[in-house]
């Protein structure tokens, strides 16, 4: 389980927000794109399990930290016990609410030495992102329907193919999340978890097939024109691993 040393913990508002965003992205992925894998790992027969989001955009289901007190606040304990006793979507929404609380607690734990104005700025930055609960329960849809409804089920991202030709990659919600999650008709950014919007540039990873805001992965439309095969930051970092 990745916790990290307190001595190397984020200190500035920007560093703490980056840590928050990355942990949040991991949790959003667990509860949406990787939901079947997450569901399988939360076996009610196992001991108390927690859902962790890590600073590298990954997620993990694991036992709580053994050290007392832990180096960071701990997420909700025993999320696996209610899995088979609740409606699946309700269970995921409940975990999303607990995850939002945990993400905030970690952010403000790391920001304990921030002053009043810095704390206010940190919360303002966090508040610009939809909560995990909003993403999982799809509550944001009613706020963003105008101009998005017709595009949310099928969207295009222009990229270079290996032959150097322009191609269009389309992705539907069913392809993204599977038949069990057909209510999630919005594709989510693999970095920030934000919903698709027709007026923003998106790019798909050719390896993991996840979609990203161009701004989140620092890819502009012009830069995308020269990319033959795009690998997201997560897939690129795996290249050097044994």
């Amino acid at each position: 389980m990745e916790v990290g040393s307190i001595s190397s913990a984020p200190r500035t508002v920007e560093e703490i927000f980056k840590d928050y965003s990355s942990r949040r992205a991991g949790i959003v992925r667990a509860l949406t794109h990787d939901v079947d894998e997450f569901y399988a790992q939360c076996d009610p027969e196992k001991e108390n399990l927690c859902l962790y989001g890590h600073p590298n955009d990954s997620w993990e289901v694991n036992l709580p930290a053994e050290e007392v007190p832990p180096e960071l606040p701990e997420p909700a304990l025993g999320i696996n016990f209610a899995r088979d006793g609740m409606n699946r979507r309700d269970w995921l929404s409940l975990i999303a609410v607990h995850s939002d609380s945990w993400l905030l607690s970690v952010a403000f734990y790391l920001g304990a030495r921030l002053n009043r104005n810095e704390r206010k700025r940190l919360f303002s930055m966090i508040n610009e992102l939809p909560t995990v609960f909003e993403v999982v329960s799809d509550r944001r849809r009613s706020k963003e329907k105008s101009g998005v409804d017709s595009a949310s089920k099928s969207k295009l991202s222009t990229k270079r193919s290996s032959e150097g030709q322009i191609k269009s990659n389309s992705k539907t919600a069913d392809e993204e999340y599977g038949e069990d999650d057909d209510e999630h008709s919005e594709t989510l950014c693999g970095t920030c978890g934000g919903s698709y919007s027709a007026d923003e540039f998106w790019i798909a990873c050719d390896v993991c097939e996840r979609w990203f805001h161009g701004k989140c992965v620092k890819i502009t439309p012009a830069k995308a024109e020269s990319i033959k095969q795009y690998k997201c930051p997560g897939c690129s970092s795996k290249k050097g691993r044994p």
Side-chain angles (χ1 to χ4, degrees):
M1 180 172 56
E2 298 180 17
V3 175
S5 170
I6 283 296
S7 61
S8 61
R11 295 297 183 187
T12 68
V13 170
E14 288 72 22
E15 289 173 341
I16 296 171
F17 178 68
K18 182 179 179 181
D19 181 90
Y20 170 90
S21 299
S22 297
R23 293 179 188 275
R24 174 187 169 280
I27 290 176
V28 166
R29 183 177 183 182
L31 299 180
T32 55
H33 189 277
D34 297 344
V35 67
D36 290 334
E37 181 184 351
F38 168 71
Y39 186 88
Q41 289 190 27
C42 292
D43 186 348
E45 298 299 319
K46 294 183 179 179
E47 296 183 38
N48 294 300
L49 295 176
C50 302
L51 171 60
Y52 294 89
H54 295 312
N56 63 354
D57 295 1
S58 67
W59 60 272
E60 177 185 18
V61 172
N62 208 337
L63 296 171
E66 294 183 1
E67 61 268 21
V68 178
E71 291 191 14
L72 288 175
E74 286 288 299
L77 182 66
I79 59 172
N80 51 315
F81 294 147
R83 190 195 73 175
D84 294 344
M86 295 179 65
N87 172 275
R88 173 165 163 155
R89 201 168 299 282
D90 291 341
W91 176 69
L92 292 172
S93 293
L94 179 62
I95 294 174
V97 171
H98 281 293
S99 296
D100 282 319
S101 300
W102 176 67
L103 288 168
L104 284 173
S105 68
V106 171
F108 280 84
Y109 176 84
L110 296 174
R113 292 179 175 82
L114 298 179
N115 61 37
R116 178 181 178 181
N117 289 333
E118 289 173 330
R119 289 195 303 272
K120 184 176 180 180
R121 184 157 65 91
L122 174 61
F123 182 77
S124 178
M125 293 169 71
I126 289 173
N127 206 38
E128 286 298 310
L129 295 175
T131 65
V132 177
F133 174 69
E134 286 175 328
V135 173
V136 171
S137 64
D138 218 13
R139 290 173 64 91
R140 296 182 71 229
R141 187 182 301 174
S142 61
K143 300 177 183 177
E144 301 178 352
K145 278 208 169 193
S146 59
V148 180
D149 283 5
S150 61
S152 62
K153 292 184 180 179
S154 178
K155 50 208 72 71
L156 301 176
S157 177
T158 302
K159 306 191 307 174
R160 286 276 185 183
S161 69
S162 57
E163 294 80 16
Q165 300 296 320
I166 295 294
K167 67 177 181 179
S168 294
N169 289 327
S170 62
K171 199 178 191 77
T172 65
D174 284 343
E175 292 170 337
E176 182 80 20
Y177 304 124
E179 293 180 0
D180 288 341
D181 294 295
D182 57 3
E183 290 182 18
H184 289 203
S185 60
E186 293 177 296
T187 291
L188 306 176
C189 174
T191 296
C192 73
S195 300
Y196 172 80
S197 177
D199 60 357
E200 294 179 305
F201 172 70
W202 283 62
I203 188 168
C205 175
D206 286 314
V207 178
C208 67
E209 298 185 353
R210 295 165 64 198
W211 289 75
F212 300 85
H213 285 112
K215 62 184 179 183
C216 289
V217 291
K218 298 181 180 179
I219 299 293
T220 64
K223 188 174 181 180
E225 293 293 319
S226 62
I227 299 176
K228 292 184 177 180
Q229 184 182 48
Y230 174 67
K231 290 185 179 180
C232 69
C235 291
S236 297
S237 65
K238 294 177 183 176
K239 183 177 179 181
R241 296 178 186 174

